[in-house]
mmCIF file of all heavy atoms in Angstrom:
data_model
loop_
_atom_site.group_PDB
_atom_site.id
_atom_site.type_symbol
_atom_site.label_atom_id
_atom_site.label_comp_id
_atom_site.label_asym_id
_atom_site.label_seq_id
_atom_site.Cartn_x
_atom_site.Cartn_y
_atom_site.Cartn_z
ATOM 1 N N MET A 30 -19.892 18.000 2.059
ATOM 2 C CA MET A 30 -18.892 17.116 1.466
ATOM 3 C C MET A 30 -18.013 17.931 0.531
ATOM 4 O O MET A 30 -18.473 18.824 -0.169
ATOM 5 C CB MET A 30 -19.556 15.979 0.702
ATOM 6 C CG MET A 30 -20.549 15.151 1.514
ATOM 7 S SD MET A 30 -20.160 13.396 1.583
ATOM 8 C CE MET A 30 -19.146 13.291 3.020
ATOM 9 N N ALA A 31 -16.743 17.597 0.536
ATOM 10 C CA ALA A 31 -15.762 18.367 -0.226
ATOM 11 C C ALA A 31 -15.300 17.600 -1.463
ATOM 12 O O ALA A 31 -15.601 16.425 -1.644
ATOM 13 C CB ALA A 31 -14.558 18.680 0.666
ATOM 14 N N LYS A 32 -14.560 18.327 -2.297
ATOM 15 C CA LYS A 32 -13.946 17.735 -3.484
ATOM 16 C C LYS A 32 -12.448 17.981 -3.377
ATOM 17 O O LYS A 32 -12.021 19.025 -2.886
ATOM 18 C CB LYS A 32 -14.496 18.358 -4.762
ATOM 19 C CG LYS A 32 -15.950 18.057 -5.011
ATOM 20 C CD LYS A 32 -16.426 18.670 -6.299
ATOM 21 C CE LYS A 32 -17.907 18.362 -6.515
ATOM 22 N NZ LYS A 32 -18.410 18.931 -7.780
ATOM 23 N N TYR A 33 -11.690 17.036 -3.868
ATOM 24 C CA TYR A 33 -10.221 17.131 -3.865
ATOM 25 C C TYR A 33 -9.744 16.855 -5.268
ATOM 26 O O TYR A 33 -10.266 16.006 -5.963
ATOM 27 C CB TYR A 33 -9.627 16.116 -2.889
ATOM 28 C CG TYR A 33 -9.928 16.464 -1.451
ATOM 29 C CD1 TYR A 33 -11.141 16.125 -0.874
ATOM 30 C CD2 TYR A 33 -9.001 17.146 -0.678
ATOM 31 C CE1 TYR A 33 -11.439 16.473 0.446
ATOM 32 C CE2 TYR A 33 -9.276 17.502 0.640
ATOM 33 C CZ TYR A 33 -10.498 17.165 1.181
ATOM 34 O OH TYR A 33 -10.790 17.515 2.488
ATOM 35 N N VAL A 34 -8.687 17.592 -5.675
ATOM 36 C CA VAL A 34 -8.157 17.481 -7.016
ATOM 37 C C VAL A 34 -6.691 17.068 -6.962
ATOM 38 O O VAL A 34 -5.907 17.628 -6.172
ATOM 39 C CB VAL A 34 -8.300 18.807 -7.788
ATOM 40 C CG1 VAL A 34 -7.673 18.734 -9.155
ATOM 41 C CG2 VAL A 34 -9.763 19.210 -7.888
ATOM 42 N N CYS A 35 -6.312 16.111 -7.805
ATOM 43 C CA CYS A 35 -4.915 15.696 -7.902
ATOM 44 C C CYS A 35 -4.117 16.842 -8.495
ATOM 45 O O CYS A 35 -4.452 17.364 -9.561
ATOM 46 C CB CYS A 35 -4.820 14.448 -8.789
ATOM 47 S SG CYS A 35 -3.124 13.915 -9.057
ATOM 48 N N ASP A 36 -3.041 17.237 -7.790
ATOM 49 C CA ASP A 36 -2.220 18.356 -8.244
ATOM 50 C C ASP A 36 -1.417 17.987 -9.488
ATOM 51 O O ASP A 36 -0.958 18.887 -10.201
ATOM 52 C CB ASP A 36 -1.239 18.753 -7.128
ATOM 53 C CG ASP A 36 -1.948 19.292 -5.880
ATOM 54 O OD1 ASP A 36 -3.052 19.843 -6.012
ATOM 55 O OD2 ASP A 36 -1.397 19.105 -4.786
ATOM 56 N N VAL A 37 -1.260 16.702 -9.766
ATOM 57 C CA VAL A 37 -0.439 16.264 -10.888
ATOM 58 C C VAL A 37 -1.243 16.161 -12.167
ATOM 59 O O VAL A 37 -0.859 16.701 -13.196
ATOM 60 C CB VAL A 37 0.265 14.915 -10.557
ATOM 61 C CG1 VAL A 37 1.025 14.397 -11.774
ATOM 62 C CG2 VAL A 37 1.173 15.063 -9.360
ATOM 63 N N CYS A 38 -2.400 15.479 -12.105
ATOM 64 C CA CYS A 38 -3.139 15.222 -13.350
ATOM 65 C C CYS A 38 -4.533 15.835 -13.405
ATOM 66 O O CYS A 38 -5.169 15.808 -14.445
ATOM 67 C CB CYS A 38 -3.233 13.723 -13.611
ATOM 68 S SG CYS A 38 -4.385 12.853 -12.508
ATOM 69 N N GLY A 39 -5.045 16.342 -12.273
ATOM 70 C CA GLY A 39 -6.339 16.979 -12.280
ATOM 71 C C GLY A 39 -7.518 16.071 -12.003
ATOM 72 O O GLY A 39 -8.668 16.531 -12.013
ATOM 73 N N TRP A 40 -7.279 14.779 -11.714
ATOM 74 C CA TRP A 40 -8.386 13.861 -11.390
ATOM 75 C C TRP A 40 -9.054 14.387 -10.123
ATOM 76 O O TRP A 40 -8.413 14.828 -9.180
ATOM 77 C CB TRP A 40 -7.862 12.438 -11.172
ATOM 78 C CG TRP A 40 -8.937 11.431 -10.887
ATOM 79 C CD1 TRP A 40 -9.757 10.846 -11.781
ATOM 80 C CD2 TRP A 40 -9.301 10.894 -9.614
ATOM 81 N NE1 TRP A 40 -10.601 9.959 -11.155
ATOM 82 C CE2 TRP A 40 -10.345 9.982 -9.815
ATOM 83 C CE3 TRP A 40 -8.848 11.100 -8.319
ATOM 84 C CZ2 TRP A 40 -10.947 9.275 -8.791
ATOM 85 C CZ3 TRP A 40 -9.440 10.400 -7.288
ATOM 86 C CH2 TRP A 40 -10.470 9.503 -7.535
ATOM 87 N N GLU A 41 -10.386 14.362 -10.101
ATOM 88 C CA GLU A 41 -11.133 14.903 -8.976
ATOM 89 C C GLU A 41 -11.796 13.817 -8.161
ATOM 90 O O GLU A 41 -12.438 12.911 -8.725
ATOM 91 C CB GLU A 41 -12.214 15.855 -9.502
ATOM 92 C CG GLU A 41 -12.987 16.539 -8.395
ATOM 93 C CD GLU A 41 -13.960 17.568 -8.945
ATOM 94 O OE1 GLU A 41 -13.527 18.710 -9.169
ATOM 95 O OE2 GLU A 41 -15.126 17.227 -9.146
ATOM 96 N N TYR A 42 -11.638 13.889 -6.846
ATOM 97 C CA TYR A 42 -12.338 13.008 -5.922
ATOM 98 C C TYR A 42 -13.419 13.793 -5.247
ATOM 99 O O TYR A 42 -13.157 14.789 -4.561
ATOM 100 C CB TYR A 42 -11.385 12.396 -4.891
ATOM 101 C CG TYR A 42 -12.147 11.545 -3.892
ATOM 102 C CD1 TYR A 42 -12.705 10.345 -4.289
ATOM 103 C CD2 TYR A 42 -12.374 11.974 -2.602
ATOM 104 C CE1 TYR A 42 -13.455 9.568 -3.405
ATOM 105 C CE2 TYR A 42 -13.109 11.223 -1.704
ATOM 106 C CZ TYR A 42 -13.651 10.012 -2.117
ATOM 107 O OH TYR A 42 -14.394 9.262 -1.264
ATOM 108 N N ASP A 43 -14.655 13.374 -5.429
ATOM 109 C CA ASP A 43 -15.826 14.027 -4.836
ATOM 110 C C ASP A 43 -16.325 13.117 -3.695
ATOM 111 O O ASP A 43 -16.730 11.987 -3.948
ATOM 112 C CB ASP A 43 -16.900 14.176 -5.905
ATOM 113 C CG ASP A 43 -18.174 14.853 -5.395
ATOM 114 O OD1 ASP A 43 -18.375 14.950 -4.186
ATOM 115 O OD2 ASP A 43 -18.984 15.268 -6.238
ATOM 116 N N GLU A 44 -16.227 13.608 -2.463
ATOM 117 C CA GLU A 44 -16.619 12.812 -1.305
ATOM 118 C C GLU A 44 -18.057 12.307 -1.418
ATOM 119 O O GLU A 44 -18.358 11.171 -1.045
ATOM 120 C CB GLU A 44 -16.449 13.596 -0.012
ATOM 121 C CG GLU A 44 -15.017 13.879 0.337
ATOM 122 C CD GLU A 44 -14.859 14.688 1.620
ATOM 123 O OE1 GLU A 44 -15.828 15.375 2.018
ATOM 124 O OE2 GLU A 44 -13.782 14.647 2.216
ATOM 125 N N ALA A 45 -18.967 13.133 -1.917
ATOM 126 C CA ALA A 45 -20.367 12.745 -2.029
ATOM 127 C C ALA A 45 -20.565 11.587 -3.001
ATOM 128 O O ALA A 45 -21.351 10.684 -2.763
ATOM 129 C CB ALA A 45 -21.210 13.947 -2.460
ATOM 130 N N ALA A 46 -19.808 11.587 -4.088
ATOM 131 C CA ALA A 46 -19.964 10.561 -5.115
ATOM 132 C C ALA A 46 -19.094 9.346 -4.849
ATOM 133 O O ALA A 46 -19.374 8.244 -5.342
ATOM 134 C CB ALA A 46 -19.623 11.147 -6.484
ATOM 135 N N GLY A 47 -18.011 9.543 -4.093
ATOM 136 C CA GLY A 47 -17.047 8.458 -3.916
ATOM 137 C C GLY A 47 -16.373 8.152 -5.241
ATOM 138 O O GLY A 47 -16.320 8.985 -6.131
ATOM 139 N N SER A 48 -15.944 6.915 -5.361
ATOM 140 C CA SER A 48 -15.337 6.443 -6.621
ATOM 141 C C SER A 48 -15.597 4.967 -6.714
ATOM 142 O O SER A 48 -14.695 4.147 -6.570
ATOM 143 C CB SER A 48 -13.824 6.767 -6.630
ATOM 144 O OG SER A 48 -13.271 6.423 -7.894
ATOM 145 N N PRO A 49 -16.890 4.616 -6.959
ATOM 146 C CA PRO A 49 -17.281 3.194 -6.953
ATOM 147 C C PRO A 49 -16.432 2.328 -7.888
ATOM 148 O O PRO A 49 -16.144 1.163 -7.593
ATOM 149 C CB PRO A 49 -18.738 3.229 -7.392
ATOM 150 C CG PRO A 49 -19.220 4.591 -7.038
ATOM 151 C CD PRO A 49 -18.007 5.495 -7.193
ATOM 152 N N GLU A 50 -16.017 2.879 -9.038
ATOM 153 C CA GLU A 50 -15.205 2.108 -9.962
ATOM 154 C C GLU A 50 -13.838 1.772 -9.386
ATOM 155 O O GLU A 50 -13.152 0.875 -9.887
ATOM 156 C CB GLU A 50 -15.058 2.859 -11.311
ATOM 157 C CG GLU A 50 -14.312 4.176 -11.241
ATOM 158 C CD GLU A 50 -15.184 5.369 -10.812
ATOM 159 O OE1 GLU A 50 -16.341 5.204 -10.388
ATOM 160 O OE2 GLU A 50 -14.672 6.492 -10.915
ATOM 161 N N ASN A 51 -13.463 2.473 -8.316
ATOM 162 C CA ASN A 51 -12.193 2.209 -7.637
ATOM 163 C C ASN A 51 -12.391 1.621 -6.246
ATOM 164 O O ASN A 51 -11.491 1.638 -5.417
ATOM 165 C CB ASN A 51 -11.363 3.492 -7.561
ATOM 166 C CG ASN A 51 -10.937 3.979 -8.933
ATOM 167 O OD1 ASN A 51 -10.280 3.268 -9.647
ATOM 168 N ND2 ASN A 51 -11.377 5.155 -9.327
ATOM 169 N N GLY A 52 -13.630 1.172 -5.971
ATOM 170 C CA GLY A 52 -13.943 0.531 -4.691
ATOM 171 C C GLY A 52 -14.163 1.464 -3.521
ATOM 172 O O GLY A 52 -14.080 1.051 -2.366
ATOM 173 N N ILE A 53 -14.457 2.731 -3.817
ATOM 174 C CA ILE A 53 -14.696 3.725 -2.740
ATOM 175 C C ILE A 53 -16.166 4.126 -2.740
ATOM 176 O O ILE A 53 -16.661 4.667 -3.711
ATOM 177 C CB ILE A 53 -13.796 4.978 -2.942
ATOM 178 C CG1 ILE A 53 -12.319 4.547 -3.016
ATOM 179 C CG2 ILE A 53 -14.012 5.963 -1.818
ATOM 180 C CD1 ILE A 53 -11.410 5.650 -3.499
ATOM 181 N N ALA A 54 -16.845 3.831 -1.638
ATOM 182 C CA ALA A 54 -18.275 4.059 -1.553
ATOM 183 C C ALA A 54 -18.603 5.546 -1.509
ATOM 184 O O ALA A 54 -17.834 6.351 -0.978
ATOM 185 C CB ALA A 54 -18.830 3.386 -0.287
ATOM 186 N N PRO A 55 -19.766 5.924 -2.058
ATOM 187 C CA PRO A 55 -20.227 7.322 -1.940
ATOM 188 C C PRO A 55 -20.291 7.719 -0.469
ATOM 189 O O PRO A 55 -20.635 6.903 0.397
ATOM 190 C CB PRO A 55 -21.630 7.295 -2.558
ATOM 191 C CG PRO A 55 -21.570 6.144 -3.542
ATOM 192 C CD PRO A 55 -20.687 5.121 -2.870
ATOM 193 N N GLY A 56 -19.935 8.955 -0.201
ATOM 194 C CA GLY A 56 -19.964 9.480 1.166
ATOM 195 C C GLY A 56 -18.676 9.246 1.939
ATOM 196 O O GLY A 56 -18.567 9.648 3.098
ATOM 197 N N THR A 57 -17.650 8.660 1.308
ATOM 198 C CA THR A 57 -16.380 8.415 1.981
ATOM 199 C C THR A 57 -15.552 9.702 1.983
ATOM 200 O O THR A 57 -15.235 10.251 0.927
ATOM 201 C CB THR A 57 -15.571 7.312 1.265
ATOM 202 O OG1 THR A 57 -16.358 6.107 1.249
ATOM 203 C CG2 THR A 57 -14.270 7.040 1.993
ATOM 204 N N LYS A 58 -15.244 10.195 3.179
ATOM 205 C CA LYS A 58 -14.436 11.409 3.296
ATOM 206 C C LYS A 58 -13.015 11.138 2.825
ATOM 207 O O LYS A 58 -12.486 10.044 2.998
ATOM 208 C CB LYS A 58 -14.422 11.907 4.741
ATOM 209 C CG LYS A 58 -15.766 12.439 5.201
ATOM 210 C CD LYS A 58 -15.604 13.128 6.535
ATOM 211 C CE LYS A 58 -16.896 13.814 6.924
ATOM 212 N NZ LYS A 58 -17.159 14.977 6.140
ATOM 213 N N PHE A 59 -12.374 12.172 2.261
ATOM 214 C CA PHE A 59 -11.009 12.035 1.759
ATOM 215 C C PHE A 59 -10.079 11.570 2.875
ATOM 216 O O PHE A 59 -9.217 10.708 2.687
ATOM 217 C CB PHE A 59 -10.533 13.372 1.173
ATOM 218 C CG PHE A 59 -9.190 13.285 0.516
ATOM 219 C CD1 PHE A 59 -9.078 12.770 -0.780
ATOM 220 C CD2 PHE A 59 -8.033 13.717 1.143
ATOM 221 C CE1 PHE A 59 -7.841 12.673 -1.399
ATOM 222 C CE2 PHE A 59 -6.806 13.638 0.512
ATOM 223 C CZ PHE A 59 -6.706 13.124 -0.748
ATOM 224 N N GLU A 60 -10.256 12.127 4.081
ATOM 225 C CA GLU A 60 -9.403 11.773 5.200
ATOM 226 C C GLU A 60 -9.575 10.303 5.620
ATOM 227 O O GLU A 60 -8.700 9.742 6.266
ATOM 228 C CB GLU A 60 -9.674 12.690 6.402
ATOM 229 C CG GLU A 60 -11.093 12.528 6.940
ATOM 230 C CD GLU A 60 -11.493 13.688 7.876
ATOM 231 O OE1 GLU A 60 -11.118 14.825 7.619
ATOM 232 O OE2 GLU A 60 -12.203 13.402 8.841
ATOM 233 N N ASP A 61 -10.697 9.701 5.233
ATOM 234 C CA ASP A 61 -10.952 8.290 5.576
ATOM 235 C C ASP A 61 -10.459 7.313 4.506
ATOM 236 O O ASP A 61 -10.578 6.094 4.701
ATOM 237 C CB ASP A 61 -12.441 8.070 5.838
ATOM 238 C CG ASP A 61 -12.932 8.821 7.082
ATOM 239 O OD1 ASP A 61 -12.096 9.064 7.978
ATOM 240 O OD2 ASP A 61 -14.114 9.128 7.142
ATOM 241 N N LEU A 62 -9.935 7.834 3.393
ATOM 242 C CA LEU A 62 -9.366 6.944 2.388
ATOM 243 C C LEU A 62 -8.155 6.268 3.000
ATOM 244 O O LEU A 62 -7.467 6.840 3.852
ATOM 245 C CB LEU A 62 -8.953 7.735 1.142
ATOM 246 C CG LEU A 62 -10.088 8.358 0.341
ATOM 247 C CD1 LEU A 62 -9.514 9.225 -0.784
ATOM 248 C CD2 LEU A 62 -11.021 7.312 -0.227
ATOM 249 N N PRO A 63 -7.836 5.047 2.586
ATOM 250 C CA PRO A 63 -6.651 4.369 3.141
ATOM 251 C C PRO A 63 -5.370 5.194 2.924
ATOM 252 O O PRO A 63 -5.253 5.933 1.957
ATOM 253 C CB PRO A 63 -6.591 3.057 2.355
ATOM 254 C CG PRO A 63 -7.850 2.949 1.591
ATOM 255 C CD PRO A 63 -8.509 4.275 1.539
ATOM 256 N N ASP A 64 -4.420 5.006 3.829
ATOM 257 C CA ASP A 64 -3.153 5.748 3.709
ATOM 258 C C ASP A 64 -2.415 5.402 2.425
ATOM 259 O O ASP A 64 -1.636 6.230 1.920
ATOM 260 C CB ASP A 64 -2.242 5.456 4.898
ATOM 261 C CG ASP A 64 -2.783 6.082 6.186
ATOM 262 O OD1 ASP A 64 -3.552 7.068 6.102
ATOM 263 O OD2 ASP A 64 -2.437 5.593 7.267
ATOM 264 N N ASP A 65 -2.681 4.225 1.873
ATOM 265 C CA ASP A 65 -1.998 3.827 0.645
ATOM 266 C C ASP A 65 -2.793 4.158 -0.617
ATOM 267 O O ASP A 65 -2.463 3.723 -1.702
ATOM 268 C CB ASP A 65 -1.633 2.343 0.679
ATOM 269 C CG ASP A 65 -2.869 1.428 0.783
ATOM 270 O OD1 ASP A 65 -3.992 1.925 0.956
ATOM 271 O OD2 ASP A 65 -2.676 0.196 0.690
ATOM 272 N N PHE A 66 -3.847 4.978 -0.467
ATOM 273 C CA PHE A 66 -4.648 5.412 -1.629
ATOM 274 C C PHE A 66 -3.745 6.155 -2.592
ATOM 275 O O PHE A 66 -2.919 6.979 -2.190
ATOM 276 C CB PHE A 66 -5.802 6.340 -1.175
ATOM 277 C CG PHE A 66 -6.518 6.987 -2.326
ATOM 278 C CD1 PHE A 66 -7.493 6.335 -3.023
ATOM 279 C CD2 PHE A 66 -6.186 8.292 -2.712
ATOM 280 C CE1 PHE A 66 -8.154 6.924 -4.094
ATOM 281 C CE2 PHE A 66 -6.841 8.900 -3.769
ATOM 282 C CZ PHE A 66 -7.828 8.206 -4.466
ATOM 283 N N VAL A 67 -3.909 5.866 -3.878
ATOM 284 C CA VAL A 67 -3.194 6.602 -4.922
ATOM 285 C C VAL A 67 -4.208 7.028 -5.988
ATOM 286 O O VAL A 67 -5.242 6.432 -6.180
ATOM 287 C CB VAL A 67 -2.077 5.749 -5.584
ATOM 288 C CG1 VAL A 67 -0.987 5.433 -4.582
ATOM 289 C CG2 VAL A 67 -2.619 4.498 -6.232
ATOM 290 N N CYS A 68 -3.860 8.105 -6.683
ATOM 291 C CA CYS A 68 -4.686 8.620 -7.763
ATOM 292 C C CYS A 68 -4.840 7.504 -8.803
ATOM 293 O O CYS A 68 -3.839 6.941 -9.256
ATOM 294 C CB CYS A 68 -4.035 9.837 -8.384
ATOM 295 S SG CYS A 68 -4.908 10.467 -9.832
ATOM 296 N N PRO A 69 -6.077 7.201 -9.196
ATOM 297 C CA PRO A 69 -6.285 6.132 -10.182
ATOM 298 C C PRO A 69 -5.758 6.464 -11.578
ATOM 299 O O PRO A 69 -5.576 5.550 -12.382
ATOM 300 C CB PRO A 69 -7.805 5.914 -10.176
ATOM 301 C CG PRO A 69 -8.382 7.108 -9.560
ATOM 302 C CD PRO A 69 -7.346 7.720 -8.683
ATOM 303 N N LEU A 70 -5.490 7.701 -11.851
ATOM 304 C CA LEU A 70 -4.973 8.056 -13.184
ATOM 305 C C LEU A 70 -3.442 8.113 -13.234
ATOM 306 O O LEU A 70 -2.857 7.606 -14.170
ATOM 307 C CB LEU A 70 -5.543 9.408 -13.657
ATOM 308 C CG LEU A 70 -7.023 9.440 -14.017
ATOM 309 C CD1 LEU A 70 -7.377 10.794 -14.590
ATOM 310 C CD2 LEU A 70 -7.382 8.368 -14.997
ATOM 311 N N CYS A 71 -2.834 8.732 -12.231
ATOM 312 C CA CYS A 71 -1.367 8.937 -12.323
ATOM 313 C C CYS A 71 -0.577 8.267 -11.210
ATOM 314 O O CYS A 71 0.649 8.263 -11.276
ATOM 315 C CB CYS A 71 -1.057 10.425 -12.423
ATOM 316 S SG CYS A 71 -1.346 11.339 -10.907
ATOM 317 N N GLY A 72 -1.259 7.752 -10.166
ATOM 318 C CA GLY A 72 -0.567 6.973 -9.164
ATOM 319 C C GLY A 72 0.106 7.717 -8.026
ATOM 320 O O GLY A 72 0.808 7.126 -7.228
ATOM 321 N N VAL A 73 -0.113 9.062 -7.894
ATOM 322 C CA VAL A 73 0.491 9.770 -6.782
ATOM 323 C C VAL A 73 -0.365 9.580 -5.518
ATOM 324 O O VAL A 73 -1.544 9.233 -5.573
ATOM 325 C CB VAL A 73 0.663 11.288 -7.072
ATOM 326 C CG1 VAL A 73 1.593 11.497 -8.244
ATOM 327 C CG2 VAL A 73 -0.681 11.976 -7.327
ATOM 328 N N GLY A 74 0.234 9.810 -4.355
ATOM 329 C CA GLY A 74 -0.437 9.576 -3.093
ATOM 330 C C GLY A 74 -1.343 10.745 -2.662
ATOM 331 O O GLY A 74 -1.431 11.771 -3.333
ATOM 332 N N LYS A 75 -1.993 10.548 -1.522
ATOM 333 C CA LYS A 75 -2.955 11.524 -0.994
ATOM 334 C C LYS A 75 -2.339 12.893 -0.744
ATOM 335 O O LYS A 75 -3.004 13.912 -0.832
ATOM 336 C CB LYS A 75 -3.537 11.033 0.335
ATOM 337 C CG LYS A 75 -4.523 9.895 0.182
ATOM 338 C CD LYS A 75 -4.921 9.288 1.508
ATOM 339 C CE LYS A 75 -5.693 10.209 2.414
ATOM 340 N NZ LYS A 75 -6.204 9.526 3.613
ATOM 341 N N ASP A 76 -1.012 12.933 -0.471
ATOM 342 C CA ASP A 76 -0.351 14.190 -0.194
ATOM 343 C C ASP A 76 -0.245 15.088 -1.436
ATOM 344 O O ASP A 76 0.139 16.256 -1.342
ATOM 345 C CB ASP A 76 1.017 13.965 0.440
ATOM 346 C CG ASP A 76 1.944 13.159 -0.451
ATOM 347 O OD1 ASP A 76 1.486 12.450 -1.359
ATOM 348 O OD2 ASP A 76 3.177 13.238 -0.224
ATOM 349 N N SER A 77 -0.590 14.536 -2.604
ATOM 350 C CA SER A 77 -0.538 15.313 -3.846
ATOM 351 C C SER A 77 -1.922 15.791 -4.281
ATOM 352 O O SER A 77 -2.132 16.126 -5.435
ATOM 353 C CB SER A 77 0.122 14.480 -4.965
ATOM 354 O OG SER A 77 1.457 14.234 -4.671
ATOM 355 N N PHE A 78 -2.865 15.823 -3.331
ATOM 356 C CA PHE A 78 -4.224 16.323 -3.614
ATOM 357 C C PHE A 78 -4.460 17.617 -2.848
ATOM 358 O O PHE A 78 -3.935 17.793 -1.736
ATOM 359 C CB PHE A 78 -5.282 15.302 -3.160
ATOM 360 C CG PHE A 78 -5.497 14.181 -4.143
ATOM 361 C CD1 PHE A 78 -4.541 13.164 -4.285
ATOM 362 C CD2 PHE A 78 -6.640 14.132 -4.926
ATOM 363 C CE1 PHE A 78 -4.755 12.125 -5.183
ATOM 364 C CE2 PHE A 78 -6.837 13.092 -5.806
ATOM 365 C CZ PHE A 78 -5.895 12.090 -5.958
ATOM 366 N N SER A 79 -5.255 18.499 -3.430
ATOM 367 C CA SER A 79 -5.632 19.759 -2.789
ATOM 368 C C SER A 79 -7.152 19.842 -2.777
ATOM 369 O O SER A 79 -7.806 19.380 -3.730
ATOM 370 C CB SER A 79 -5.090 20.960 -3.574
ATOM 371 O OG SER A 79 -3.679 20.932 -3.593
ATOM 372 N N GLU A 80 -7.699 20.453 -1.721
ATOM 373 C CA GLU A 80 -9.139 20.645 -1.664
ATOM 374 C C GLU A 80 -9.557 21.640 -2.732
ATOM 375 O O GLU A 80 -8.922 22.681 -2.926
ATOM 376 C CB GLU A 80 -9.565 21.129 -0.283
ATOM 377 C CG GLU A 80 -11.069 21.091 -0.088
ATOM 378 C CD GLU A 80 -11.497 21.288 1.365
ATOM 379 O OE1 GLU A 80 -10.627 21.321 2.251
ATOM 380 O OE2 GLU A 80 -12.712 21.381 1.593
ATOM 381 N N ALA A 81 -10.605 21.294 -3.447
ATOM 382 C CA ALA A 81 -11.093 22.144 -4.549
ATOM 383 C C ALA A 81 -11.952 23.282 -4.017
ATOM 384 O O ALA A 81 -12.555 23.160 -3.001
ATOM 385 C CB ALA A 81 -11.875 21.325 -5.557
#
């Protein structure tokens, strides 16, 4: 499982942990996040994340 970091604010998405507080179950791959997913801190889209 990989980790992805928001290029704008540094928020990290860890596939293994998911983001339960944002409705994303543990084990959810970044590529499987909805197309309209946005960073919960700054609101940018998936295209503004880089693999850590």
Side-chain angles (χ1 to χ4, degrees):
M30 304 238 90
K32 293 182 181 181
Y33 292 82
V34 177
C35 176
D36 297 331
V37 175
C38 72
W40 183 79
E41 184 175 275
Y42 176 70
D43 181 344
E44 292 179 338
S48 185
E50 64 277 10
N51 294 301
I53 304 167
T57 302
K58 291 190 172 288
F59 187 79
E60 64 195 37
D61 294 335
L62 293 174
D64 290 337
D65 62 353
F66 171 82
V67 295
C68 175
L70 290 185
C71 71
V73 298
K75 287 171 66 173
D76 60 340
S77 294
F78 279 74
S79 298
E80 191 167 354

